[in-house]
């Protein structure tokens, strides 16, 4: 490899390797690929000479750019699934967005005891669904973008397509199962909600899986 680093002692070398690992982790490089890159970097740090011209010590901008470009040239950036980030962010976005219309309505109508929330039920369902959908997209993108993931936008594009599909399939399966098992109203509601939740989580996972594919696939 052409990129080299000035000679460092053990402490400096360990610090550079640790910072490189953090940088590649934030760039969405998978663990197996990070280990390869870190092994190569450690060899360069051990074998480099003081008169070499290459990457400046951390935390220089040139060092960050060169390390990120090293992973990007080999198609390693944005390959990590990061389900531990995407799934909670999308679920939290759905819950927050879906709850917002009800909270707003209750805060507005609280002084008007003669008006019941029930007459706004259809409006609540529609607005909660729309805001939950948008909340999932926004929060998933925000979390991935904050981590510097290069495939944050493509993940959200896939999520925008698959999230309604997951919700619809989950609702359909949930209704079919409750009718088949002849559940009463409360178990049926919880059963449908549970299956819809599973469908949404699967939609989020599949969206990230598709977004993280190599460009050649």
């Amino acid at each position: 490899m052409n990129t080299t680093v000035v000679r460092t002692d053990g402490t400096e070398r360990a610090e550079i390797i640790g910072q490189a690992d953090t940088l590649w982790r934030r760039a969405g490089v998978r663990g197996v690929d990070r280990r390869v890159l870190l092994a190569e970097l450690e060899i360069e740090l051990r074998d480099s000479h003081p008169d070499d011209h290459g990457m400046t010590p951390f935390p220089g901008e040139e060092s960050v750019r060169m390390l990120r470009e090293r992973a990007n040239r080999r198609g390693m950036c944005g390959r990590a699934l990061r389900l531990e980030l995407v799934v909670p962010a999308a679920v939290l976005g759905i819950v927050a967005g879906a709850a917002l219309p009800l909270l707003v309505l209750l805060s507005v109508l609280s002084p008007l005891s003669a008006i019941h929330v029930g007459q706004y039920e259809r409006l609540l369902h529609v607005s909660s669904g729309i805001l939950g959908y948008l909340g999932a997209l926004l929060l998933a993108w925000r979390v991935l973008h904050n981590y510097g993931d290069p495939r944050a936008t493509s993940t959200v594009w896939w999520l925008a397509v698959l999230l309604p599909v997951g919700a619809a399939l989950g609702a359909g399966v949930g209704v079919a199962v409750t009718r088949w098992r002849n559940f009463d109203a409360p178990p049926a509601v919880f059963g449908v909600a549970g299956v819809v939740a599973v469908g949404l989580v699967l939609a989020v996972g599949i969206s990230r899986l598709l977004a993280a594919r190599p460009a050649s696939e």
Side-chain angles (χ1 to χ4, degrees):
M1 301 175 64
N2 294 326
T3 303
T4 53
V5 186
V6 296
R7 180 179 296 278
T8 58
D9 60 26
T11 301
E12 292 172 328
R13 187 165 58 245
E15 181 181 358
I16 291 176
I17 290 174
Q19 290 174 317
D21 183 48
T22 299
L23 185 150
W24 285 324
R25 187 188 301 272
R26 291 180 63 87
V29 179
R30 296 179 302 176
V32 62
D33 293 331
R34 286 202 311 274
R35 287 191 289 272
V36 172
L37 292 171
L38 291 171
E40 294 173 351
L41 179 61
E42 185 171 10
I43 292 174
E44 288 187 24
L45 288 167
R46 291 181 182 277
D47 296 344
S48 58
H49 300 285
D51 57 349
D52 287 332
H53 299 285
M55 188 171 60
T56 58
F58 272 89
E61 292 183 5
E62 184 66 13
S63 300
V64 172
R65 185 192 67 78
M66 295 175 71
L67 285 174
R68 191 180 182 95
E69 181 60 25
R70 176 180 299 193
N72 197 42
R73 282 197 311 266
R74 296 160 72 170
M76 294 178 175
C77 291
R79 295 292 313 283
L81 290 181
R82 286 183 160 173
L83 298 183
E84 73 282 1
L85 297 177
V86 181
V87 172
V91 171
L92 181 59
I94 291 172
V95 173
L100 183 60
L102 179 60
L103 295 176
V104 171
L105 188 60
L106 289 176
S107 65
V108 171
L109 297 182
S110 55
L112 307 175
S113 57
I115 300 179
H116 300 286
V117 175
Q119 67 188 84
Y120 298 97
E121 185 175 356
R122 178 168 299 187
L123 176 61
L124 279 174
H125 288 167
V126 173
S127 58
S128 293
I130 293 174
L131 289 178
Y133 172 71
L134 295 177
L137 301 183
L138 178 61
L139 198 55
W141 179 83
R142 183 74 263 177
V143 169
L144 289 175
H145 180 73
N146 284 348
Y147 271 79
D149 193 289
R151 305 198 184 187
T153 301
S154 59
T155 300
V156 172
W157 278 115
W158 279 111
L159 192 58
V161 174
L162 295 180
L163 202 58
V165 176
L169 289 177
V173 172
V175 169
V177 170
T178 54
R179 289 182 177 177
W180 172 53
R181 301 294 297 177
N182 294 320
F183 288 144
D184 295 329
V189 171
F190 286 110
V192 172
V195 179
V196 170
V198 172
L200 292 174
V201 171
L202 287 175
V204 175
I206 294 172
S207 298
R208 180 59 187 180
L209 180 63
L210 293 172
R213 292 178 304 170
S216 58
E217 291 186 10

